[in-house]
């Protein structure tokens, strides 16, 4: 595959969405065809699953959540990500499998060994070329989400949940240091963008 697969991660409120848009245009300006997409979602079925996962009123067992995340991901890989990479495009994806390890694994206690099985089953060895992890402490993320905005199921979790999710991301970054780059997202947008530009300049 000749394309470039970049995933963006961070706890809720880290500000990744702002940087995602910039990243897409960064590659377009350099003449690349870019597909910006997201998880859960990215396909009609995936978006329906997203709605179920984010807007459902009742509790969903974390293993069920994991299965639905990976079901959406299988569809997304098949219909969007793999074809785009084959055509040499840059795929910028808002969250991917590291989010399942961080949220369902570290946040909600699903065994990482089970997630490893699903990952292999769904991805068959395919990994992002680069993962940008926008890192902020859980309290900062909570403050950025604000109190006036309607929150989805995950955003309603407490600070200690997000501290575990953050620890999960940092664990992933330590395991896969050449793929996952940690960006300190505590400072203002301009400074964070400079770090980002420095990293993507070599791609
Ligand atoms: P998010 O990416 O934050 O979208 P928005 O910025 O539009 O709110 O929302 C997706 C939510 O789904 C987020 O809270 C994390 C959660 N999530 C998981 O728990 N596991 C996963 O595997 C993925 C992809 C997302």
């Amino acid at each position: 595959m000749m394309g470039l697969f970049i995933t963006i991660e961070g706890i809720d409120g880290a500000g990744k969405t702002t940087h995602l848009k910039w990243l897409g245009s960064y590659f377009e300006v350099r003449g690349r065809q870019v597909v910006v997409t997201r998880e859960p979602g990215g396909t009609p079925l995936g978006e329906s699953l997203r709605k179920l996962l984010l807007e459902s009123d009742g509790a969903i067992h974390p293993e069920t959540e994991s299965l639905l995340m990976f079901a959406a991901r299988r569809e997304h890989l098949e219909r969007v990500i793999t074809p785009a990479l084959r055509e040499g495009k840059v795929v910028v994806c808002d969250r991917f499998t590291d989010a399942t390890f961080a949220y369902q694994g570290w946040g909600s206690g699903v065994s990482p060994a089970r997630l490893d099985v699903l990952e292999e089953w769904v991805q068959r060895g395919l990994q992002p070329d680069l993962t940008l992890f926008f890192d902020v402490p859980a309290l900062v993320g909570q403050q950025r989400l604000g109190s006036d905005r309607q929150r989805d199921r995950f955003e309603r979790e407490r600070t200690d949940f997000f501290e575990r999710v953050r620890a999960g991301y940092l664990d992933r970054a330590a395991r896969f240091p050449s793929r996952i780059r940690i960006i300190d997202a505590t400072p203002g947008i301009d400074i964070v963008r400079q770090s980002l530009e420095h990293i993507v300049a070599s791609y």
Side-chain angles (χ1 to χ4, degrees):
M1 280 200 244
M2 290 141 49
L4 181 63
F5 184 21
I6 301 180
T7 60
I8 313 285
E9 301 284 356
I11 62 168
D12 291 86
K16 64 187 169 49
T17 313
T18 316
H19 301 295
L20 179 93
K21 291 193 188 119
W22 177 85
L23 199 59
S25 46
Y26 175 90
F27 284 104
E28 267 165 8
V29 166
R30 281 158 186 77
R32 301 288 301 257
Q33 280 186 291
V34 178
V35 174
V36 177
T37 187
R38 67 171 178 182
E39 291 209 350
T43 65
L45 176 65
E47 290 295 326
S48 302
L49 291 171
R50 179 186 180 91
K51 213 167 150 45
L52 281 175
L53 282 158
L54 269 56
E55 293 171 23
S56 162
D57 290 336
I60 302 178
H61 190 280
E63 288 184 354
T64 313
E65 259 175 24
S66 308
L67 289 163
L68 292 175
M69 294 290 179
F70 272 108
R73 187 162 298 137
R74 181 72 195 90
E75 201 67 10
H76 198 199
L77 281 164
E78 181 71 20
R79 299 192 190 281
V80 178
I81 298 174
T82 310
L85 293 175
R86 285 221 176 91
E87 289 165 12
K89 295 178 182 167
V90 178
V91 176
V92 180
C93 190
D94 191 349
R95 300 191 184 281
F96 195 64
T97 299
D98 297 306
T100 316
F101 279 90
Y103 280 78
Q104 280 66 50
W106 285 67
S108 303
V110 175
S111 134
R114 293 200 166 177
L115 298 180
D116 282 337
V117 172
L118 294 177
E119 179 182 31
E120 178 49 34
W121 208 78
V122 164
Q123 290 166 227
R124 300 181 180 126
L126 178 81
Q127 290 294 340
D129 298 297
L130 171 68
T131 297
L132 300 162
F133 168 52
F134 290 94
D135 186 34
V136 292
L139 253 178
V140 174
Q142 290 292 88
Q143 281 159 1
R144 287 192 187 164
L145 281 180
S147 53
D148 45 347
R149 182 169 165 276
Q150 180 110 28
R151 295 191 178 199
D152 66 40
R153 262 184 68 243
F154 293 104
E155 289 167 350
R156 286 196 293 268
E157 288 283 357
R158 298 193 343 246
T159 308
D160 59 334
F161 173 84
F162 289 109
E163 243 356 301
R164 290 200 301 279
V165 173
R166 181 189 187 201
Y169 276 125
L170 291 170
D171 172 76
R172 299 284 289 171
R175 271 169 212 263
F176 306 106
S178 58
R179 172 172 67 85
I180 305 181
R181 304 292 298 269
I182 303 171
I183 297 174
D184 178 7
T186 325
I189 290 180
D190 290 348
I191 292 174
V192 177
R193 182 157 301 162
Q194 278 171 24
S195 326
L196 184 57
E197 198 160 0
H198 185 73
I199 292 171
V200 294
S202 51
Y203 283 84

